[in-house]
Amino acid sequence: MPKSTYYFWVGVFLFVIFSIIFLVYFATMRIDYVWAWHKIPSAFLYHKQVEVRAEIQGTVASITPEKDQSLIKVKGTGEEEAFTVPTKDLRVSVNDFVYPGDVLASYGKWQAGIMLQGVWITLKVSLFSIIFGIIIGIIGGLSRISDNPAAKWLAITYVELIRGSPLLVQIFIWYFVVGTMVNQLLLAYGIHEIPGLWYGVAALACFTGAYVTEIVRAGIQSIGRGQIEAARSLGMSYAQSMRYIVMPQAMRRILPPLAGQFISLIKDSSLLGIIAVRELTKATREVITTQLNPFEMFFVCAALYLVMTFTLSMFVQYLERRTQTA
Amino acid sequence: MIEARNVFKTYYVPHKVEALVDVSTRIAAGEVVVVIGPSGSGKSTFLRCLNHLETATSGHIIIDGVDILNPKTDINKVRAEVGMVFQSFNLFPHKTVEENVTLAQRIVRKRSKKEAADRAMALLTKVGIQDKAAVYPDQLSGGQQQRVAIARALAMNPKVMLFDEPTSALDPEMIGEVLDVMKTLATEGMTMVCVTHEMGFAREVAGRVIFMDAGRIVEVGTPEHFFKNPTHERTKSFLSQIL
């Protein structure tokens, strides 16, 4: 392709992209949408004013400074209370008389907003699901190719059930059926309930595990019979041949489809909002209800998912390069 | 050393095929036996039955006094004593040449790192590729790969070596180097069972030649007998076609 033609098509590319952006902007102007990008940072990080108030009526008995923190002791009739606050933010001095609700100290501090918490929950849920998904997938994949009918058919049943039903329904089943059952049982024995987040993790891990099972099976089966025959003919057991010969080679072929699966998993974690897990998408929707800026927030939300999935795919590419010998 | 008694092997999938029919033979220690026959005659199946890569349907296969068809036999132990060389080399592509030769020594024979490495170097020198110890198999020619495969099998100090058409996948100019290694082994007194189409090798090295057709042993004899005056019609027609 001549240089001039090449640059022409690069121009076309840029024109299409900017046209789409402009069209969206133009459309929002026509419906009088007020863009409020400036509200977004506060959804991530905000300055919170903390006021420490007395709870009883009495006098400030003592203020003991310790580095830049101070211990305030308030003595009432027959009761006492104590607070630790930054020294420079003190609003009372010794022997001051205080009523309940009087401000003893007031200071500001930076706090992670709901969006940052949402990102953290999404990362946490995804990470646990990936780890459990890999474990389930390896066990499932090995069972799938096993000669043992019980192991093999269990693996097939599991994979077909999971792949044949919607993830949304599976999340409902985990939360409303399994979750109710388990939590009721735990309650009956006086044990703490398991938070909904873990049923979400279980649903995602089981869902991903089924796909990883098929990926692992395909990876192992892509290694020629000759490899395992050579290993066995040297006197290695089946397990040793798998561990030293087949798995290391299969791993290299498994990595790219596995990366795709885990990228899907991060995106699928957005469904957990429906069982009250406040992950990124749910957090976004909560912010929108107060800030009333859905356009900006959903774009930001999408961009954050993109950052996470892109980081993961970069990491997997790095792993692939590292396992590429010769 | 090896005794096969009335070995049958029948496949039922996808349809019934009698791969081995009543095969019986004895192979003494130090003997070099070459198995020849047309393709589909069961010679490779027979060889693979000898180290249980294929399970014979019935009969007895006794390796060094142990019946490998007995379910109680620890087959891994027997296989460690029986080296095998494949038509398609089957080197481990994710391991260097040296690691290919040391891996099973370390895992199965539980040798120390140094002991395994020393043995590997000695064997790689013997097959003439000591200077390629650190490279990966895909950087070697077919002949070199097959010689590594022989070194890998020898590293286990096997009592028997099985060769399954070791030169069939090689370019013609590389066949010689592999056959030379096999000839050296034979002169050193290794017990060998070779399935091959190399009639020159059979004539020169074999103590005994077994001709198989349609899953049966048709004729057994010395190379002189075989190549000068074979008795069976089937043997004659086979030899006339390939010689």
Side-chain angles (χ1 to χ4, degrees):
Chain A
M1 193 184 285
K3 265 227 154 87
S4 53
T5 330
Y6 175 79
Y7 285 122
F8 171 74
W9 289 112
V10 170
V12 169
F13 165 76
L14 292 174
F15 176 76
V16 170
I17 295 288
F18 283 108
S19 300
I20 292 171
I21 293 173
F22 177 76
L23 279 175
V24 170
Y25 180 71
F26 181 72
T28 60
M29 296 305 283
R30 290 301 298 262
I31 59 165
D32 295 325
Y33 185 81
V34 183
W35 290 89
W37 291 100
H38 62 275
K39 286 184 189 165
I40 286 174
S42 68
F44 286 87
L45 204 63
Y46 64 96
H47 199 74
K48 184 183 174 190
Q49 202 63 33
V50 184
E51 287 182 329
V52 182
R53 290 169 189 273
E55 280 155 24
I56 57 170
Q57 183 177 325
T59 48
V60 178
S62 68
I63 297 176
T64 330
E66 207 174 297
K67 286 179 193 162
D68 44 358
Q69 296 280 310
S70 288
L71 181 72
I72 311 175
K73 273 193 178 141
V74 180
K75 248 196 183 106
T77 43
E79 46 188 357
E80 206 180 62
E81 58 183 5
F83 304 94
T84 308
V85 297
T87 308
K88 61 177 168 46
D89 299 316
L90 275 173
R91 295 288 164 84
V92 289
S93 40
V94 182
N95 290 331
D96 277 2
F97 192 80
V98 291
Y99 290 101
D102 278 2
V103 176
L104 302 177
S106 170
Y107 57 93
K109 78 173 187 191
W110 287 102
Q111 191 125 19
I114 193 170
M115 284 297 275
L116 219 51
Q117 291 169 18
V119 170
W120 166 241
I121 297 284
T122 291
L123 285 175
K124 187 165 130 185
V125 164
S126 304
L127 184 72
F128 278 112
S129 307
I130 286 174
I131 292 170
F132 290 128
I134 290 177
I135 296 171
I136 295 173
I138 289 177
I139 296 171
L142 289 173
S143 310
R144 185 70 179 69
I145 56 167
S146 148
D147 289 332
N148 183 325
K152 188 173 170 177
W153 293 341
L154 276 174
I156 292 175
T157 311
Y158 162 64
V159 169
E160 292 306 323
L161 277 182
I162 296 289
R163 291 206 306 189
S165 60
L167 176 55
L168 189 60
V169 175
Q170 289 175 32
I171 292 172
F172 283 145
I173 290 175
W174 272 102
Y175 186 68
F176 290 113
V177 181
V178 181
T180 309
M181 272 184 332
V182 172
N183 279 350
Q184 293 283 340
L185 277 175
L186 289 180
L187 219 58
Y189 288 99
I191 308 168
H192 274 292
E193 293 184 16
I194 300 171
L197 180 129
W198 293 103
Y199 293 106
V201 168
L204 286 180
C206 264
F207 178 76
T208 308
Y211 287 88
V212 176
T213 293
E214 282 300 287
I215 292 170
V216 168
R217 178 192 63 80
I220 291 174
Q221 286 181 341
S222 76
I223 306 301
R225 265 195 77 73
Q227 287 293 309
I228 201 155
E229 282 183 355
R232 296 304 303 271
S233 78
L234 288 164
M236 289 187 213
S237 67
Y238 177 79
Q240 287 169 335
S241 317
M242 273 291 162
R243 180 173 157 208
Y244 294 102
I245 306 304
V246 178
M247 274 310 208
Q249 294 181 60
M251 228 35 225
R252 221 183 293 168
R253 302 193 190 175
I254 286 172
L255 269 175
L258 216 51
Q261 192 55 48
F262 292 150
I263 284 168
S264 290
L265 173 80
I266 291 180
K267 294 184 290 181
D268 289 342
S269 73
S270 61
L271 287 172
L272 293 188
I274 51 162
I275 56 165
V277 175
R278 203 201 253 167
E279 42 65 55
L280 184 52
T281 307
K282 173 113 166 97
T284 306
R285 294 178 58 195
E286 283 181 18
V287 169
I288 291 167
T289 56
T290 55
Q291 293 193 349
L292 304 173
N293 51 353
F295 290 18
E296 298 90 326
M297 286 310 295
F298 280 128
F299 285 138
V300 167
C301 177
L304 284 171
Y305 278 110
L306 186 66
V307 169
M308 285 188 263
T309 54
F310 188 71
T311 311
L312 179 63
S313 81
M314 284 289 108
F315 176 66
V316 172
Q317 274 187 24
Y318 159 78
L319 278 187
E320 262 175 73
R321 269 198 305 275
R322 238 190 49 172
T323 53
Q324 213 77 45
T325 48
Chain B
M1 178 56 73
I2 300 177
E3 188 183 352
R5 270 207 307 256
N6 313 105
V7 175
F8 286 80
K9 171 75 184 172
T10 315
Y11 295 103
Y12 294 96
V13 182
H15 45 82
K16 193 177 171 187
V17 177
E18 291 183 313
L20 292 178
V21 182
D22 199 12
V23 173
S24 298
T25 188
R26 300 177 75 121
I27 295 159
E31 200 178 0
V32 177
V33 173
V34 170
V35 184
I36 60 172
S39 65
S41 61
K43 52 195 193 311
S44 277
T45 306
F46 175 59
L47 197 73
R48 290 161 60 82
C49 280
L50 292 183
N51 72 347
H52 211 263
L53 283 181
E54 305 273 359
T55 310
T57 314
S58 68
H60 295 277
I61 293 170
I62 294 143
I63 308 279
D64 205 19
V66 183
D67 187 349
I68 62 167
L69 290 175
N70 183 340
K72 284 182 191 138
T73 304
D74 181 358
I75 190 64
N76 295 328
K77 231 173 183 171
V78 178
R79 281 180 179 147
E81 308 295 335
V82 180
M84 177 126 185
V85 176
F86 299 86
Q87 179 178 350
S88 48
F89 329 135
N90 296 345
L91 291 181
F92 308 134
H94 61 304
K95 302 269 179 200
T96 64
V97 164
E98 190 187 356
E99 287 165 349
N100 263 279
V101 184
T102 53
L103 184 69
Q105 295 190 64
R106 305 258 294 137
I107 298 170
V108 181
R109 289 278 193 236
K110 310 272 183 231
R111 288 177 187 154
S112 73
K113 207 169 184 170
K114 185 173 181 317
E115 198 185 352
D118 288 348
R119 172 120 186 101
M121 249 4 245
L123 285 166
L124 289 175
T125 310
K126 183 174 178 179
V127 300
I129 28 184
Q130 63 281 10
D131 51 335
K132 302 276 187 191
V135 307
Y136 286 90
D138 61 356
Q139 287 165 288
L140 299 180
S141 72
Q144 289 170 326
Q145 288 195 41
Q146 194 59 297
R147 284 185 281 151
V148 174
I150 295 174
R152 178 177 69 178
L154 288 175
M156 302 295 288
N157 301 79
K159 293 176 180 151
V160 186
M161 285 285 284
L162 308 177
F163 292 86
D164 189 4
E165 304 197 25
T167 56
S168 297
L170 296 176
D171 290 339
E173 70 265 35
M174 289 168 185
I175 291 175
E177 60 192 60
V178 172
L179 289 181
D180 285 342
V181 171
M182 290 168 67
K183 280 175 201 164
T184 316
L185 273 183
T187 51
E188 286 171 359
M190 175 61 79
T191 312
M192 291 162 64
V193 185
C194 315
V195 170
T196 183
H197 296 299
E198 294 299 322
M199 293 305 144
F201 176 80
R203 198 176 287 181
E204 197 181 328
V205 184
R208 194 149 51 104
V209 178
I210 294 175
F211 175 70
M212 289 182 74
D213 184 46
R216 289 163 216 269
I217 294 184
V218 176
E219 193 164 355
V220 183
T222 60
E224 295 86 61
H225 159 82
F226 241 88
F227 295 107
K228 297 229 168 74
N229 41 15
T231 43
H232 285 263
E233 277 311 310
R234 187 69 191 89
T235 321
K236 282 180 195 166
S237 70
F238 175 73
L239 288 173
S240 69
Q241 268 169 14
I242 58 163
L243 290 179

